[in-house]
Amino acid sequence: MVAPRIVGEGLRIDPWSSQQSTDYSRIRDEFGLGSIEGMAIPNPSMLHRRGIIFAQRDLDVVLDSSRRREPFGVLTGLMPSGRMHLGHSMVIEQVKWFQSQGADVTIAVADLEAHATRGMSLDDCRTTALKEYVLNYAALGLESDSASVYFQSRRPIVQRIGFTLGKRTTLSEMESIYGFQGETNLAHIQAPLVQVGDILHPQFEEFGGIRPIVVPVGVDQDPHIRLTRDLASRSNWFNVKPRKAGGLSIALSIQEENSSIFGVGERGRVDREVRSQIFSSIHESLSSFGYSDVISNPKHGLIEIPGATNKDRGQIRLSLLRLERHLGGLGLLPPASTYHRFAIGMTGDKMSSSRPESTIFLDDSIEDMEKKVKRALSGGQATVEEHRRLGGDCEKDVAFQYLHTFFESDDSALEEIRREYSSGRMLAAEIKRICIDKATEWLDNLAEKRKSIEDQIDLFLSDDAR
Ligand code: TRP
C-alpha cells in the first residue's frame, strides 16, 4: 500500500508500519532531533531518569514557558483501534509529566485517520476510544480538570487547518515524506494533514490561544511532526533568525496573503507609508524587551537586534505571532516534541498489538500476563552453572527491561536487581518472578482505578465530544 520512506541505507520511519528502526542515535542525527542530555528537566519522571526519552525538538521553548509560569500545552492523539497496551502507556506517562509541570492537555481521537487507514467505522471508533483508551488514561492518573478529549470528525477547525495549510505542500513532498504512491487512497493522503490540524489548532483563540504546544511521540510519528513544523513555519509572516554578527534578525516573509498588508505593490514596489507603519508595529511588539539598539531596514523588510540572545528568540517569536494574528495571519508557533525509545517486545522483537504475546494489554488477566512473562525472552545463561559464572544480560532480558521501563519506579531497587542479575547471583526464573509480582501489583492497581473512575469519563470530554 504505502512504501516506507527509506533514508540512507534502509533507515525507515513509517508511521503506519509496525516495523521500526531502533538505531536511535542514527535517527536523531539523520532527522536533526535535539538531544535531551544537558537539558535541565525539573522533577524528572522515570522515563527521563532512565534515558528512555532520548530526543526532542524545541523542548527548551516549552520548559521556558513552564519556568515563567506562562501557558503551554501538551497534545497527543490516539488511534482508536485495538486494545491499549504497555507501549501506548509511555506517551501518557509523558503527557502526565507535562501536565504536572503546568501544561493544559488536548487529546485527539484520530477517528478520521482510523477510518482512512484501518477501515473502522466512526461509531466503533468512539466506543473504543472511550472504553479502552480514555478510561485507561484516567486510571493511569491523567487529571481531568486541565484535559480535554475531542474527535477529529467532530471538530471542523481541525479539518479546515489541514485544508488551508495543505496549500503549502505538494504531492511530491508528501511522497517523499511518507512514501505515498499512485495507488495510495486519498483519505490516507489527507490523514497527515488532519494530524497537522490536530497539532496546531489548540493555538487558536477558542482553544487557548498562541502558546507553545509539545507533542510527545515515538519516533515513528516524527514525519508528522516535521510536516507540521514545516507548514507552520511556511505560514509565518515574520522569520526570527540568529544573526551572523551576533544577535537576532527579523525578516518579513512576503506571501500572497500579506503582500498588500506589508506594502508590496505591483512589480514588487514597496509602499513606504504602509511599510513604515508595519515597522512601527514591530517596534511596538519589541518595546517590552527594552533593546537599546534596533536597526531597521524597512525597504528590505529587515530588522536587526544585535543585543538579543538566542534565549530571547522564543519570546520574540511569540510576540510577533500575536502581531501576525492581529494583522490577519494565522500566527502559529511550530510544535515542540519529545521522543521515547520503543520498549522491546516480550518475544525479543517488536511490540505489536497484532501479536498479543509480544506485549501486555492493560486489561490482561494476571494469568495471561504471567504466562507471557514466563515465556518472554530471557537474558539468562543456558545452565545455572554458566549463569552464576557469566551473569545475566539485562539489555536482552525482557523481565529486566519491563521492570526498567514500566513496573519498578524505585531507582535504587532497580539498581539492586541489575547488580544481582548481572553478577549471576540472581537467576532468570527469579527475575521473572520479581517482574510478575511487580506487574501484578501494577495491573491490579490499574484495574481498581479503572473501576473507580469508570463513570467519570465524561469529565475528560470537550463539549463537542459529548
Ligand atoms: N497518527 C497517530 C497514531 O498513529 C494518532 C494521532 C492523530 C496523533 N493525531 C495526532 C498523535 C496528533 C499525536 C498528535 O497513533
Side-chain angles (χ1 to χ4, degrees):
M1 228 200 0
V2 175
R5 167 103 168 102
I6 310 280
V7 177
E9 272 163 44
L11 181 61
R12 60 202 258 161
I13 299 231
D14 174 358
W16 295 285
S17 161
S18 56
Q19 287 315 96
Q20 297 299 346
S21 168
T22 50
D23 188 345
Y24 295 110
S25 45
R26 197 167 147 212
I27 291 175
R28 189 163 58 199
D29 296 345
E30 210 138 340
F31 293 102
L33 308 179
S35 167
I36 286 279
E37 268 157 53
M39 295 189 90
I41 308 277
N43 314 310
S45 74
M46 186 168 128
L47 299 182
H48 295 111
R49 296 196 306 272
R50 299 183 185 171
I52 296 166
I53 297 170
F54 75 102
Q56 49 82 27
R57 294 183 192 270
D58 282 355
L59 182 61
D60 53 332
V61 177
V62 174
L63 295 178
D64 193 41
S65 289
S66 171
R67 247 189 320 268
R68 295 162 175 273
R69 305 199 171 280
E70 280 168 12
F72 69 104
V74 56
L75 177 136
T76 187
L78 65 95
M79 194 76 133
S81 62
R83 295 160 68 196
M84 185 164 168
H85 59 65
L86 284 178
H88 298 124
S89 74
M90 298 172 83
V91 162
I92 300 310
E93 287 304 319
Q94 292 197 62
V95 170
K96 268 168 51 187
W97 181 80
F98 283 113
Q99 186 174 46
S100 74
Q101 299 305 304
D104 60 86
V105 181
T106 310
I107 295 169
V109 176
D111 58 350
L112 290 178
E113 182 180 359
H115 183 66
T117 63
R118 310 255 164 107
M120 295 196 42
S121 81
L122 296 181
D123 281 347
D124 288 349
C125 285
R126 183 182 178 89
T127 316
T128 307
L130 300 184
K131 294 228 160 81
E132 187 65 34
Y133 290 84
V134 180
L135 177 58
N136 275 308
Y137 293 3
L140 285 167
L142 195 70
E143 304 278 351
S144 64
D145 38 357
S146 58
S148 125
V149 175
Y150 74 94
F151 292 84
Q152 287 177 332
S153 65
R154 298 236 211 142
R155 199 164 267 191
I157 195 172
V158 164
Q159 296 164 56
R160 199 160 69 229
I161 296 174
F163 203 91
T164 316
L165 289 181
K167 239 175 57 174
R168 296 175 194 268
T169 183
T170 61
L171 194 49
S172 329
E173 191 179 38
M174 296 298 270
E175 262 172 42
S176 84
I177 299 176
Y178 296 105
F180 289 150
Q181 290 171 337
E183 309 79 67
T184 308
N185 81 59
L186 288 182
H188 202 155
I189 295 179
Q190 262 181 304
L193 286 170
V194 175
Q195 183 153 345
V196 168
D198 285 330
I199 297 173
L200 294 175
H201 88 280
Q203 294 186 62
F204 277 59
E205 294 312 323
E206 51 199 302
F207 298 101
I210 300 171
R211 66 198 185 289
I213 300 289
V214 59
V215 189
V217 290
V219 270
D220 62 315
Q221 297 290 310
D222 187 54
H224 298 307
I225 303 288
R226 265 179 287 142
L227 178 69
T228 311
R229 287 170 58 87
D230 283 349
L231 295 186
S233 316
R234 284 175 205 163
S235 78
N236 286 167
W237 290 12
F238 304 100
N239 291 326
V240 186
K241 295 218 174 94
R243 202 168 146 264
K244 279 205 195 76
L248 296 172
S249 72
I250 301 169
L252 300 189
S253 161
I254 313 284
Q255 311 169 8
E256 218 180 19
E257 286 78 2
N258 63 24
S259 55
S260 65
I261 296 166
F262 279 171
V264 180
E266 269 172 42
R267 274 173 278 121
R269 278 184 55 115
V270 177
D271 180 324
R272 284 211 212 157
E273 194 126 319
V274 176
R275 183 60 64 88
S276 94
Q277 238 159 38
I278 287 293
F279 267 60
S280 3
S281 307
I282 299 175
H283 281 268
E284 219 170 282
S285 294
L286 297 173
S287 63
S288 64
F289 294 92
Y291 299 121
S292 55
D293 192 12
V294 179
I295 312 163
S296 285
N297 185 338
K299 188 160 173 240
H300 290 114
L302 194 68
I303 286 185
E304 299 183 79
I305 321 171
T309 64
N310 215 18
K311 269 194 138 175
D312 302 340
R313 186 161 173 247
Q315 293 298 315
I316 294 181
R317 276 161 101 202
L318 287 171
S319 37
L320 291 173
L321 288 173
R322 283 185 209 108
L323 174 61
E324 175 188 329
R325 196 171 284 183
H326 177 73
L327 296 169
L330 290 169
L332 296 170
L333 186 67
S337 48
T338 52
Y339 303 84
H340 62 76
R341 294 168 195 271
F342 295 110
I344 56 169
M346 304 196 76
T347 41
D349 44 14
K350 308 280 153 30
M351 189 188 269
S352 155
S353 345
S354 56
R355 288 184 305 114
E357 71 282 7
S358 72
T359 186
I360 295 172
F361 293 96
L362 300 195
D363 60 356
D364 263 351
S365 66
I366 302 301
E367 296 74 51
D368 283 349
M369 175 275 291
E370 195 164 342
K371 262 189 230 147
K372 291 180 192 183
V373 176
K374 283 187 174 151
R375 283 190 202 137
L377 184 73
S378 163
Q381 307 296 341
T383 64
V384 171
E385 189 275 320
E386 244 176 79
H387 189 87
R388 296 281 187 219
R389 189 158 47 86
L390 301 171
D393 179 349
C394 288
E395 291 307 306
K396 187 173 142 199
D397 196 276
V398 166
F400 180 82
Q401 287 297 320
Y402 279 41
L403 288 164
H404 175 262
T405 311
F406 304 110
F407 303 129
E408 181 51 87
S409 56
D410 180 339
D411 290 348
S412 55
L414 185 75
E415 278 324 298
E416 168 82 20
I417 295 172
R418 187 200 296 277
R419 265 197 310 276
E420 290 296 300
Y421 191 56
S422 55
S423 69
R425 280 191 295 272
M426 182 186 286
L427 296 174
E430 290 168 336
I431 198 170
K432 284 193 170 183
R433 178 47 41 206
I434 295 178
C435 181
I436 289 168
D437 290 346
K438 277 277 164 189
T440 302
E441 198 183 310
W442 197 88
L443 287 172
D444 279 348
N445 178 27
L446 195 68
E448 206 171 293
K449 292 231 174 83
R450 269 199 305 266
K451 217 182 241 156
S452 73
I453 214 161
E454 221 165 25
D455 53 354
Q456 292 172 46
I457 293 310
D458 270 9
L459 294 177
F460 286 86
L461 301 186
S462 61
D463 287 343
D464 59 7
R466 283 168 203 275

